[in-house]
Amino acid sequence: MQQPPRIALVAGETSGDLLAGLLLDGLQAQWPQVRSMGIGGPRMTERGFTAWWPSERLAVHGYSIELVRRLLGILQIRRQLRQRLLGPDRPQLFIGVDAPDFNLGLETSLRAAGIKTVHFVCPSIWAWRPERVEKIRRACDHVLCIFPFEPALLAGHGIDASYVGHPLASVIPLQPDRQAARQALGLQADDQVLAILPGSRSAEVAYIAKPFFQAAALVRRGHPAIKMIVPAVPALQARLEQLARECGLEQVLTIVTGQSHTVLAACDVTLIASGTATLEAALFKRPMVIGYHMHPWSWRLMQRKQLQPWVGLPNILCRDFVVPELLQDAATPQALAAAVLDWLAAGQQQPERLAALEARFTDLHHSLRRDTPWLAAQAIRHLLDA
């Protein structure tokens, strides 16, 4: 293709915005005048993307009740987006970045209308909801995979795919500079630091932040000098501050805007909600306790469709419980605190245990580290030239 293409993208939530921003870097290297538009966030708009709707309009939590509450608005956005993309100035390519519940159906209709479609981030059919593979086959001309085992799995179902690495593995250094991160946060080299990451969505905070903060209060009883830091998206900062007051942590817990990577680089251990952030913590080689809680109906539905014993990405990729997972009813403040205290004790009494975890996470980092923007752009170029 000689002329720069017109490419539509949809990215939901903070993680999708990050992935799409890196993808746009690769596309702009291929086609400096590429035009991109659709649904996206600030990292995308920084790269010249035209956001018709902000990505947070697609953010939901859970599988049933939370989705139903916003379903009508989300479906309306998808109808309006489809009409716009099938209008006179239609794109040459549509890229759905994650958000499979929104994107796969949209991709199916666009592909049927003659627009080539790419899905970036293979839905986790290897973990749960395997029936999605048929929907992927109908929806996608090509899938960009972020985990190395996925292309062969998709090929077995007749779906073209490429492994492009996980973008975070290139963004996060193999050897994070903890000293610089601590200096940036005003911490001392010998401080004991607990990072608390209760998620970036409002419903996540509603379900898991209070047990996390209650656990932190219990940890502080045994470690009164410990520093506790919460990286927060601006929209949730006031709510987190209120919860900190309710849990008696107002004077001892520091809430910072953004800076999740700096906080993870600086900490000794993190108490973290299941999701992409757990992979970030693994790439920073940090011990962690994974916790999660959702609406009981959502939990029951998810359990029925779960294919693996692990939920946290580090454990799934290592195929082992290398870090503890405390989910739903097991995510009590007492259990969360005990797991954090266990890691803190290991730091003082079992350095070999932490070294083994770091080695495992380093191997994982190497396996995921590729030139993702370039590989993704090459796959897209081949598709457009076909």
Side-chain angles (χ1 to χ4, degrees), residues 280-336:
E280 294 175 287
L283 295 174
F284 278 103
K285 323 302 185 297
R286 292 296 83 216
M288 72 189 82
V289 176
I290 298 173
Y292 210 66
H293 197 282
M294 61 176 64
H295 192 282
W297 289 9
S298 299
W299 174 251
R300 284 195 291 270
L301 284 167
M302 193 184 82
Q303 278 192 308
R304 286 183 204 160
K305 295 176 178 287
Q306 186 176 341
L307 300 179
Q308 299 195 46
W310 315 284
V311 170
L313 280 171
N315 291 338
I316 289 172
L317 293 169
C318 292
R319 303 197 64 77
D320 191 8
F321 282 104
V322 294
V323 297
E325 297 180 0
L326 295 167
L327 310 174
Q328 205 62 7
D329 293 340
T332 65
Q334 293 77 15
L336 294 166

Side-chain angles (χ1 to χ4, degrees), residues 227-242:
K227 308 294 184 183
M228 295 180 289
I229 304 181
V230 181
V233 297
L236 298 178
Q237 189 155 342
R239 174 61 177 151
L240 290 169
E241 289 170 352
Q242 177 186 344

Side-chain angles (χ1 to χ4, degrees), residues 97-363:
V97 183
D98 210 359
D101 288 314
F102 184 94
N103 279 324
L104 290 178
L106 179 60
E107 288 162 18
T108 300
S109 60
L110 295 178
R111 190 183 187 200
I115 296 174
K116 293 184 177 181
T117 59
V118 169
H119 197 79
F120 185 21
V121 182
C122 176
S124 50
I125 54 174
W126 36 265
W128 75 308
R129 296 181 69 181
E131 72 277 5
R132 267 185 173 171
V133 71
E134 295 302 325
K135 186 175 288 188
I136 297 169
R137 195 203 325 264
R138 292 193 303 270
C140 308
D141 288 296
H142 200 85
V143 179
L144 302 174
C145 301
I146 61 175
F147 298 126
F149 60 85
E150 291 173 328
L153 174 64
L154 292 173
H157 294 280
I159 301 168
D160 289 332
S162 303
Y163 173 54
V164 298
H166 200 296
L168 288 171
S170 296
V171 171
I172 297 171
L174 282 167
Q175 295 181 321
D177 190 338
R178 182 181 296 187
Q179 181 177 354
R182 291 194 165 206
Q183 288 177 347
L185 294 169
L187 300 167
Q188 300 300 312
D190 58 351
D191 281 339
Q192 215 171 34
V193 181
L194 170 63
I196 306 173
L197 282 78
S200 59
R201 296 178 288 187
S202 60
E204 286 178 323
V205 168
Y207 279 107
I208 199 65
K210 190 168 185 177
F212 274 18
F213 286 2
Q214 290 171 330
L218 294 173
V219 169
R220 187 169 175 267
R221 291 180 185 177
H223 297 264
I226 195 168
K227 308 294 184 183
M228 295 180 289
I229 304 181
V230 181
V233 297
L236 298 178
Q237 189 155 342
R239 174 61 177 151
L240 290 169
E241 289 170 352
Q242 177 186 344
L243 287 171
R245 287 193 295 271
E246 292 174 6
C247 296
L249 297 175
E250 181 180 9
Q251 303 301 320
V252 296
L253 186 146
T254 301
I255 299 175
V256 298
T257 302
Q259 303 183 69
S260 61
H261 284 191
T262 305
V263 173
L264 287 172
C267 73
D268 293 291
V269 62
T270 177
L271 179 56
I272 191 166
S274 180
T276 303
T278 63
L279 179 59
E280 294 175 287
L283 295 174
F284 278 103
K285 323 302 185 297
R286 292 296 83 216
M288 72 189 82
V289 176
I290 298 173
Y292 210 66
H293 197 282
M294 61 176 64
H295 192 282
W297 289 9
S298 299
W299 174 251
R300 284 195 291 270
L301 284 167
M302 193 184 82
Q303 278 192 308
R304 286 183 204 160
K305 295 176 178 287
Q306 186 176 341
L307 300 179
Q308 299 195 46
W310 315 284
V311 170
L313 280 171
N315 291 338
I316 289 172
L317 293 169
C318 292
R319 303 197 64 77
D320 191 8
F321 282 104
V322 294
V323 297
E325 297 180 0
L326 295 167
L327 310 174
Q328 205 62 7
D329 293 340
T332 65
Q334 293 77 15
L336 294 166
V340 170
L341 289 168
D342 183 58
W343 279 125
L344 292 173
Q348 296 174 338
Q349 303 164 15
Q350 298 174 294
E352 69 283 356
R353 182 180 167 197
L354 295 187
L357 183 71
E358 182 174 346
R360 197 115 185 223
F361 284 164
T362 299
D363 289 342

